[in-house]
Every structure is written in C-alpha cells, then in structure tokens.
Amino acid sequence: TVIIINIFVYGLCCLLTLKRKHFSSISIRSPTLIISTNISNFLISLTLILHKIIDSNFISIFYYIFRLMLVISLCLRYERILYCFRYNKDKFNTNENMEIFAEKRYLLQEKFYVKIFIGFFGVIFISLLIIELIGINCFELFYTSYEINNDNYKSQISIWVCLNFIEMAAIMTYIFRLHNKKLKFVLKKELYIFFCILLIYSNYITFSNLYQDYNDSTFILISLVALYLLLILNGYLPIFASFFYKNILSYQITPKLMNNLYLFLTNKECYKAFCVFLIKGGDNSVYVLKLYTHLMKFKLDLALKINHEQGLREARDIYNRYFEREGVLLYVSQDVLLKVQSKCEMLKNNTFKEDMFDEGLKYAYNQLNIKFNEFIKKEEFKELQDDIEINSLVL
C-alpha cells in the first residue's frame, strides 16, 4: 500500500513538473534535474520499504546511491543558477568576449548538467556495487548490524557520518555562494530548508542510534517522513510557485524568432529597443507603434471576454484618439481613415465589433514592418540579438 501511494504521489509530481516546465519557477531550477531529484527521493523510500519486506542487507546499499544522487542533483541545479549570474551585458562589449561566451555557452544549458548527473550516477552505482560484491560491507546501512561492537557496524556508522558531513558541507557551500545573489521563486529559502531537514534528520538518526535502543522500523518511519518533506520542498514547491508567479513567464523569445515583427513586439526588451529606434528616426512612426499597440490590446481584451461596457468604452477611446479627427492623417492614410470611420458608425448605437479597427491595424503593421526591415540592419539590432541569445540560454 505504501509503495502504491508513493508511486502516485511522486508520479503526480513528475507529471506536473513536465506539464509546467516552461514556467520560470520550474525552468530556472532545471526541470529534468528536478525530476531526477524526486526520482532519487522515491527510490530511497522504495529501498527502505523493500529492505523491510525482503530483509536483505544488500538492498540497503542503494540507500546511499540514491541519497547521494538526491544531493548531487540539487547541487547541479544551483551550480547552473550560479553560472547564469556570471553573465551580464558588460562582459559582452567586445567580439572577443562574445566568442568566449559562444564557446562556453553549454555551461548555461540544462542538458550539460544532466550529463554530469548521469556520469556521477554511473560512477557511484558501479563503485558501490563492486565494493559490496567483493565482500566489503561498509556501505550497508548501520542498522543492519545489530551489535554495536561489530566491526561492520563501526565501519557503517563511520560511512554514515562521513557522507552526511560531506553532504552538509556541499549544501553549506552553495548557501554561502548564493548569499549575496538576488533570486526569485523562493530559491534561497528552498536551499535553507533543504539543509535544515537533512541536518535534523541525519543527526537525529545518528544520536538516537548511539545513545538509545534503536530499531530499523524507527529509522524507516523517520526517513519516510523526511523524504516526504523533501518531496514537498523539491517537487511541489516549484509547481506551486509556477501558479503563484503565473504572470512571470509566457514564452522566451529566441534569436530565430526575432525576424518576425509580431513576435518581436511581444517581448518587452525588443519593444523598447524598437521604440527608441523609431523616436530617433524623427518621423511619425512612433505614433504608428502606439496605434498598433492599442489596437492589439483591444483585440486581446476581447479575446479575454471583457464585458460589453468595458469593450464599448475601449472602442470609443481608440476611435476618439486615433480616427475621429482629420489630424489622424499624421499616422494613417485617408482611405484607411474613411474605412474605419464608416465601420465605427455603430458606436453611435452603443455597439461595436472586434474587426471594426482591422483596416487601421493592418495599415499600422505594414508601416511598422517597413521600419523594422531598416532596424534589423542596424548595429543596435545585432546587440539586442546577442542579449536575447544569452537570455534564451539561461532559462
């Protein structure tokens, strides 16, 4: 029954992580490594349960294998986050620096750290298996040796203490390295709580074994409780954050998408850069950009099913601002103006349609596209493209 419950709880966590992996709170943590952490967590609990059922000392060595992989996957996640902090615009002000970055950009990509994780897993798995097969039992869990004076017990408790110390030291190192970094999505708190859970759990197990009558049932029960706490922290917390920070991420524009004006203008940094370019041009193009933005917002609001009163109020605002007076000829042609004015007669009857401004939207887009084709030839666009490439690799 416990195994079935575990499969459901851990499986649900992995499925939700995959489904919401494009949200920033999950993508910054590296979704594949989050899943690796939680699978390691599940396999630790499975090892403890199977050991209780089968009563085989050999099975207990897998506790250490998956416990180490749990901590390694966490450290790799934070190593990637830390490496992202090494890059800022000041470091890419020369072609030489850009070339250096291009050669090492794999250090920002999740798949690089997944490969390291797989490598660690292979080395640890084979090494501990060989040690066990040649008759050295030091990596079996200490509670399998019931006599405290037994040589196996002494070596096993020493291994337990040493590995716990190494894990704590590794996590503490990342805590210090992240101390002065500004992180979102409760990343620091997650690391602090992870450290506290492991510290309390490991020390309680150690001291209760040394100074009290101890049994494996107590160890397994406490371990399962600790593992569920870690699952909530490493698995469900990022998923919860993806709902809480749901406005943070939609999609990440990449350099390959930047030549499409529509997609280009959906990115905040791209929009600002293009607006600055139009202002420097000194003509009426910046007003055309405002018209395009306002019309796109109107269509988006309608798609989100705003009520009739809000839609009517927005439609009148657009008409009065851009199409009612002859002065609008500054940024739309006369034939477009007449077509829109004709369709907007319905506003007098307190009605509106989604397509009533489409002629103006089409005109604005075509005019902006002409300017955009000029912009992509400028040095400013190339610099922006470099920044977007860096950002697209970080998340």
Side-chain angles (χ1 to χ4, degrees), residues 261-320:
L261 176 60
Y262 172 76
L263 296 177
F264 182 84
L265 291 177
T266 60
N267 179 271
K268 181 179 179 181
E269 296 303 318
C270 293
Y271 184 95
K272 288 169 61 177
F274 189 49
C275 187
V276 170
F277 169 76
L278 295 179
I279 292 172
K280 289 180 180 178
D283 54 20
N284 67 335
S285 298
V286 69
Y287 299 103
V288 178
L289 179 62
K290 290 180 180 179
L291 170 63
Y292 172 83
T293 305
H294 206 159
L295 293 178
M296 287 300 296
K297 179 182 180 298
F298 174 70
K299 295 182 79 69
L300 178 61
D301 286 343
L302 294 181
L304 295 175
K305 307 298 183 184
I306 60 172
N307 62 49
H308 180 80
E309 290 75 15
Q310 288 177 313
L312 182 62
R313 186 164 56 249
E314 186 72 10
R316 284 175 172 165
D317 181 45
I318 292 173
Y319 179 72
N320 294 336

Side-chain angles (χ1 to χ4, degrees), residues 86-329:
R86 299 183 187 181
Y87 292 93
N88 53 58
K89 293 181 181 179
D90 294 334
K91 292 190 177 183
F92 301 100
N93 52 10
T94 67
N95 290 333
E96 182 181 356
N97 286 338
M98 279 303 301
E99 289 174 4
I100 293 172
F101 166 73
E103 292 175 0
K104 295 186 177 182
R105 62 184 182 180
Y106 63 88
L107 294 169
L108 297 174
Q109 297 174 325
E110 182 188 10
K111 61 184 180 182
F112 172 72
Y113 297 92
V114 172
K115 290 177 182 178
I116 295 176
F117 176 83
I118 294 171
F120 269 116
F121 175 74
V123 171
I124 292 171
F125 183 86
I126 293 171
S127 299
L128 295 191
L129 204 59
I130 291 173
I131 290 171
E132 182 67 20
L133 290 174
I134 63 177
I136 302 175
N137 301 321
C138 59
F139 281 98
E140 293 177 4
L141 282 172
F142 56 84
Y143 66 76
T144 60
S145 299
Y146 296 99
E147 294 294 332
I148 291 182
N149 294 323
N150 186 292
D151 289 338
N152 282 341
Y153 174 85
K154 292 178 180 178
S155 60
Q156 289 163 9
I157 196 69
S158 298
I159 290 293
W160 169 268
V161 172
C162 289
L163 289 181
N164 277 296
F165 175 79
I166 292 170
E167 288 175 350
M168 294 300 102
I171 298 170
M172 183 60 75
T173 300
Y174 281 97
I175 288 174
F176 279 111
R177 292 176 68 189
L178 288 161
H179 178 68
N180 61 346
K181 302 292 190 297
K182 294 181 179 179
L183 296 175
K184 295 181 179 180
F185 316 119
V186 295
L187 282 163
K188 283 186 182 180
K189 292 179 181 177
E190 177 187 344
L191 190 59
Y192 299 154
I193 297 171
F194 186 94
F195 176 81
C196 291
I197 291 173
L198 274 191
L199 183 66
I200 295 170
Y201 161 67
S202 299
N203 281 285
Y204 178 81
I205 295 296
T206 302
F207 289 110
S208 61
N209 181 257
L210 291 175
Y211 299 109
Q212 299 179 27
D213 291 333
Y214 193 78
N215 61 72
D216 58 344
S217 297
T218 305
F219 174 85
I220 292 171
L221 179 61
I222 295 171
S223 296
L224 291 178
V225 171
L227 291 172
Y228 272 119
L229 291 175
L230 292 178
L231 173 65
I232 294 170
L233 182 68
N234 295 314
Y236 285 101
L237 176 64
I239 294 169
F240 172 77
S242 73
F243 287 98
F244 187 77
Y245 296 104
K246 58 185 178 182
N247 62 320
I248 295 297
L249 176 135
S250 298
Y251 81 101
Q252 182 70 32
I253 194 168
T254 65
K256 292 181 180 179
L257 300 177
M258 286 182 64
N259 289 324
N260 182 293
L261 176 60
Y262 172 76
L263 296 177
F264 182 84
L265 291 177
T266 60
N267 179 271
K268 181 179 179 181
E269 296 303 318
C270 293
Y271 184 95
K272 288 169 61 177
F274 189 49
C275 187
V276 170
F277 169 76
L278 295 179
I279 292 172
K280 289 180 180 178
D283 54 20
N284 67 335
S285 298
V286 69
Y287 299 103
V288 178
L289 179 62
K290 290 180 180 179
L291 170 63
Y292 172 83
T293 305
H294 206 159
L295 293 178
M296 287 300 296
K297 179 182 180 298
F298 174 70
K299 295 182 79 69
L300 178 61
D301 286 343
L302 294 181
L304 295 175
K305 307 298 183 184
I306 60 172
N307 62 49
H308 180 80
E309 290 75 15
Q310 288 177 313
L312 182 62
R313 186 164 56 249
E314 186 72 10
R316 284 175 172 165
D317 181 45
I318 292 173
Y319 179 72
N320 294 336
R321 184 177 300 187
Y322 300 106
F323 299 105
E324 184 181 26
R325 297 177 298 276
E326 289 297 323
V328 77
L329 293 175

